[in-house]
Amino acid sequence: MYRALAGVLARPSGRARACVLVVLLAVPGVAILELVREQTGTPGFFVGLGLALLPVPPLMAAFRWSARAAPGPWRQSLFCFGWGACTAALIAILANSFATQWIAAATADPTDADQLGSVAIAPVVEESAKAAALVLVLVLRRRRLAGPADGFVLAGFTATGFAFTENILYLGNAFDEDLSSGAGVLDSLTAATFFVRVVLSPFAHPLFTVLTGLGLGAGLLRSRRSARFGLPLLGLASAIALHALWNSSSEFGEYGFYVVYGCVMVPAFGLLLWLTVRTRRRLLRAVAAELAVYAAAGWLGRAEVPALASMPARSLARALARRTGGRAAGRTVARYQADAAALALLRHRARRGGPVGEPDFAQRERELLGEMWLRRATAAPALARAAVMEELLPPWFDPVPAAGRATLTAVPAPRRADERRSAADVGR
């Protein structure tokens, strides 16, 4: 099904696909903003908007930090944020309202309808709506996904966008009630809502949806059909279950919220942090191991591999390039680093999954090697010097030997590309 859908969506030009994606976000975005403004009132909407913005930059920075070992394009992450904030939020509000009204009409008990909708309906609707963004990225940009790490980041951005819109609604409604009751600032419902949703649990929605992203990313690395479909479904089911537990915490007595928060949410958040750091380290080890093959084939210099496998060295290389060549040189080195990491993880997935996992491995490999070659004259010296300055190589090592300088400046790129492609094939 995914392949058939991908074939249909791949036929239009890039501009046509971009227009379709903009419509998918713009129309729901306008609708959700107007819907939230109607429910909260104009003053409440702007107060909620300002307060809901506060946790967004830290969350986005945290998820981008986790992806620095193999960074994906910003446009992809921003699309997921927009989907969560606009499309998924609109779907959730409409579906949850319809389901609650239907349950209330069937049971003639609005209170039970709200509770049942919060525990049984909302988690399924909201997590499925957020997961749709990940499936869409998988269909349109599967070649850009490296595995669980990418699923983690994209799910985090989607959930951050969803929580942003939901916080506007909750905070705006709270402010509207405070205006009606004339409550003080410290005793206001707005302050209490802000403390619970922004201070105490800003990671709640990202934590739920990240389980779906990890399952989807893990499924990309499996060659068996059962695992490729089963792991994403398992991740989605885990996200729904944890979301339902969180929503039902108030039903467990006076201290139910604190029990669920302290015994489930905080340990789960700690486990997620540990998994993020561990995954990042594993990615860097995979980058070092796989790029060593291309270095042996002549595509990379000896000093580049340890530099590309070290985040401090990467940062230093970009700084050195900016110092000598300006911002354009720094962007060139950053793109070279991203392509090198993508190349390493592409080979890593192909070795684990074989032709079934990466049917277009050879084509994608040639594209990445070609992109790297175009930028190597700027990136290689900066990476080599960074490796020496970070003590990843002996201090007597010459970052750019004379032979290397002559090669970079005198050898025509197409000829060397042909020679080194065959060497890389042998290394494979």
Side-chain angles (χ1 to χ4, degrees):
M1 181 183 70
Y2 290 158
R3 292 182 180 178
L5 183 57
V8 172
L9 293 175
R11 289 168 190 163
S13 64
R15 182 174 299 178
R17 291 199 303 270
C19 292
V20 171
L21 294 178
V22 168
V23 171
L24 287 176
L25 298 182
V27 175
V30 172
I32 191 67
L33 287 176
E34 180 60 24
L35 185 60
V36 171
R37 191 194 64 79
E38 287 182 358
Q39 294 190 26
T40 62
T42 301
F45 172 79
F46 284 107
V47 170
L49 177 64
L51 295 177
L53 273 174
L54 295 178
V56 171
L59 287 172
M60 294 176 70
F63 283 111
R64 285 298 292 185
W65 175 87
S66 68
R68 285 181 62 197
W74 259 107
R75 290 176 297 179
Q76 196 166 273
S77 300
L78 292 178
F79 166 77
C80 287
F81 178 86
W83 179 278
C86 301
T87 309
L90 181 63
I91 293 172
I93 288 179
L94 296 178
N96 289 339
S97 299
F98 173 80
T100 301
Q101 292 174 5
W102 182 82
I103 295 173
T107 61
D109 190 342
T111 302
D112 287 346
D114 288 338
Q115 294 176 353
L116 184 59
S118 174
V119 176
I121 304 299
V124 176
V125 171
E126 293 176 9
E127 296 308 321
S128 299
K130 288 182 283 185
L134 308 182
V135 174
L136 191 59
V137 172
L138 173 64
V139 171
L140 294 176
R141 289 290 184 267
R142 187 186 186 281
R143 299 170 64 190
R144 298 276 185 178
L145 301 182
D150 282 339
F152 176 92
V153 174
L154 297 179
F157 269 81
T158 306
T160 299
F162 184 90
F164 167 66
T165 301
E166 192 176 69
N167 285 339
I168 296 175
L169 181 61
Y170 279 93
L171 290 166
N173 284 332
F175 182 77
D176 187 58
E177 291 187 25
D178 289 334
L179 283 180
S180 302
S181 62
V185 176
L186 296 180
D187 298 330
S188 65
L189 183 59
T190 304
T193 305
F194 179 83
F195 178 75
V196 171
R197 297 190 64 87
V198 177
V199 177
L200 205 60
S201 59
F203 58 86
H205 271 289
L207 180 60
F208 307 147
T209 312
V210 155
L211 298 176
T212 304
L214 291 175
L216 187 65
L220 292 175
L221 302 180
R222 301 298 188 272
S223 57
R224 295 177 55 186
R225 183 180 297 270
S226 58
R228 294 175 68 182
F229 286 91
L231 289 175
L233 292 177
L234 178 62
L236 178 60
S238 301
I240 292 173
L242 186 59
H243 195 160
L245 177 64
W246 174 247
N247 285 1
S248 63
S249 59
S250 60
E251 306 298 322
F252 297 153
E254 182 179 358
Y255 300 102
F257 170 82
Y258 301 101
V259 171
V260 172
Y261 181 81
C263 297
V264 178
M265 297 296 288
V266 172
F269 180 67
L271 179 63
L272 186 64
L273 289 179
W274 172 81
L275 182 63
T276 301
V277 175
R278 184 171 181 268
T279 301
R280 179 176 158 126
R281 290 176 179 173
R282 289 182 63 185
L283 285 176
L284 291 175
R285 287 197 296 267
V287 167
E290 302 298 343
L291 290 184
V293 177
Y294 293 99
W299 278 101
L300 287 82
R302 173 189 166 188
E304 293 179 58
V305 176
L308 289 168
S310 167
M311 298 309 300
R314 287 194 199 181
S315 179
L316 179 58
R318 294 193 297 270
L320 292 172
R322 285 193 298 268
R323 188 181 305 170
T324 57
R327 293 184 178 180
R331 288 193 295 267
T332 298
V333 174
R335 180 64 184 273
Y336 183 88
Q337 294 170 351
D339 288 340
L343 176 66
L345 297 180
L346 175 74
R347 180 183 172 84
H348 186 66
R349 293 196 307 272
R351 285 200 305 106
R352 293 183 60 179
V356 176
E358 293 295 335
D360 58 346
F361 168 75
Q363 177 184 353
R364 181 62 177 155
E365 181 192 44
R366 285 194 297 269
E367 292 175 359
L368 289 170
L369 288 172
E371 293 293 328
M372 291 174 61
W373 178 260
L374 295 176
R375 300 176 176 86
R376 191 184 174 203
T378 301
L383 286 166
R385 291 190 178 92
V388 173
M389 294 174 69
E390 288 290 327
E391 300 182 351
L392 302 176
L393 293 170
W396 47 261
F397 182 82
D398 186 0
V400 186
R405 296 189 189 96
T407 299
L408 288 175
T409 57
V411 177
R415 178 183 173 188
R416 294 296 296 176
D418 292 340
E419 294 173 0
R420 298 188 179 196
R421 184 179 300 117
S422 60
D425 292 338
V426 173
R428 189 180 309 130

